[in-house]
Amino acid sequence: MVTEQFKKKLDQFLLAFGLSLMLGIMILGQDFRDSLGTAMSVIMDPVVVILGADNLHIVLFIMASITALYASLIQKYTIDWDLMRNTQEKMRVFQKEFREAQLSNNTALMKKMEEERKSMMEDQMEMSKQQFKPMAYISIISLPLFMWAYHYIKGHGAASLVFPFWGEQILTDPVFGPFQHWIFWYFIASLAVSQLIRKALDVGGV
């Protein structure tokens, strides 16, 4: 039987690992990103061979779907959605009442509400903690997959995809700013699948 102490240690390890990946990509730079992408090629390159290099958009769609499912499950079971809904509703009511007190220059009521604000800030801090924890978990899967795609596509500069209304576009060409076409496709696919999964799992709705 898994003990509570083991669960706690595993939780701490996963959080530390996820956070290390996030910091590594931001701080350690290109060498770390390439190393992470290369490591994932052991798993992902055979997938490309099976589906075919011409179907890279399908590979990216599968990756986006895996990330969306994983992220939705993590968020469903690590975030207290009731707390989030209640806190946001209380904040909306509080802001409305505080604004009315300001307009009527009701200093006594404003002073009383300042005490209430302190309690609400504690709930918001708890919300922020709950939102950060899933990010660390999600990064364990999403960042290595994303870095593999980045590493693979960088080495296949001629790879292209036919977009509706745009026609055929080179995946490494920028859509706007630093965002390349493959990132745009990955984002759109992930967003679409995520909405379906979150609806099915009843995740969010805040």
Side-chain angles (χ1 to χ4, degrees):
M1 182 178 292
V2 179
T3 64
E4 287 299 321
Q5 184 177 7
F6 176 79
K7 288 181 180 180
K8 185 177 180 180
K9 292 291 185 182
L10 180 61
D11 183 58
Q12 290 174 342
F13 170 77
L14 292 175
L15 286 174
F17 183 59
L19 185 60
S20 297
L21 287 177
M22 293 167 64
L23 292 176
I25 286 173
M26 290 186 292
I27 296 174
L28 299 182
Q30 190 64 48
D31 289 342
F32 181 81
R33 291 192 286 268
D34 286 340
S35 296
L36 191 56
T38 301
M40 281 300 295
S41 65
V42 176
I43 299 173
M44 294 304 301
D45 282 3
V47 176
V48 177
V49 172
I50 293 171
L51 294 176
D54 292 337
N55 294 318
L56 187 57
H57 61 289
I58 297 178
V59 177
L60 291 174
F61 183 83
I62 292 172
M63 287 170 46
S65 300
I66 292 172
T67 302
L69 175 60
Y70 176 70
S72 297
L73 288 171
I74 290 295
Q75 290 174 338
K76 180 176 178 64
Y77 294 108
T78 58
I79 293 178
D80 186 341
W81 293 104
D82 288 335
L83 172 64
M84 286 213 169
R85 293 186 186 99
N86 293 336
T87 300
Q88 292 195 357
E89 180 59 29
K90 286 194 296 184
M91 179 58 72
R92 281 193 288 266
V93 173
F94 175 86
Q95 289 175 338
K96 180 180 178 182
E97 292 178 349
F98 191 78
R99 179 60 177 165
E100 290 173 353
Q102 284 181 316
L103 291 173
S104 61
N105 200 26
N106 190 335
T107 54
L109 180 57
M110 285 191 290
K111 185 175 181 180
K112 181 181 178 181
M113 293 184 73
E114 284 294 340
E115 295 298 321
E116 184 181 348
R117 189 200 294 271
K118 294 177 182 178
S119 174
M120 295 181 66
M121 289 298 294
E122 292 177 2
D123 288 339
Q124 286 191 311
M125 285 293 294
E126 180 61 29
M127 276 177 46
S128 298
K129 290 178 183 178
Q130 289 193 16
Q131 289 175 321
F132 176 77
K133 192 174 183 180
M135 286 176 56
Y137 282 133
I138 292 167
S139 67
I140 295 174
I141 297 293
S142 62
L143 289 182
L145 285 174
F146 196 85
M147 287 303 105
W148 170 81
Y150 171 80
H151 179 74
Y152 183 88
I153 293 173
K154 186 176 66 172
H156 296 75
S160 64
L161 175 62
V162 177
F163 289 87
F165 308 111
W166 288 353
E168 186 174 8
Q169 301 291 336
I170 301 298
L171 291 179
T172 53
D173 285 349
V175 181
F176 54 87
F179 293 97
Q180 299 173 348
H181 281 90
W182 75 268
I183 299 176
F184 178 75
W185 166 245
Y186 185 94
F187 173 77
I188 292 298
S190 180
L191 184 62
V193 174
S194 178
Q195 290 300 313
L196 293 174
I197 293 174
R198 290 169 72 88
K199 186 70 175 178
L201 295 176
D202 191 26
V203 176
V206 177

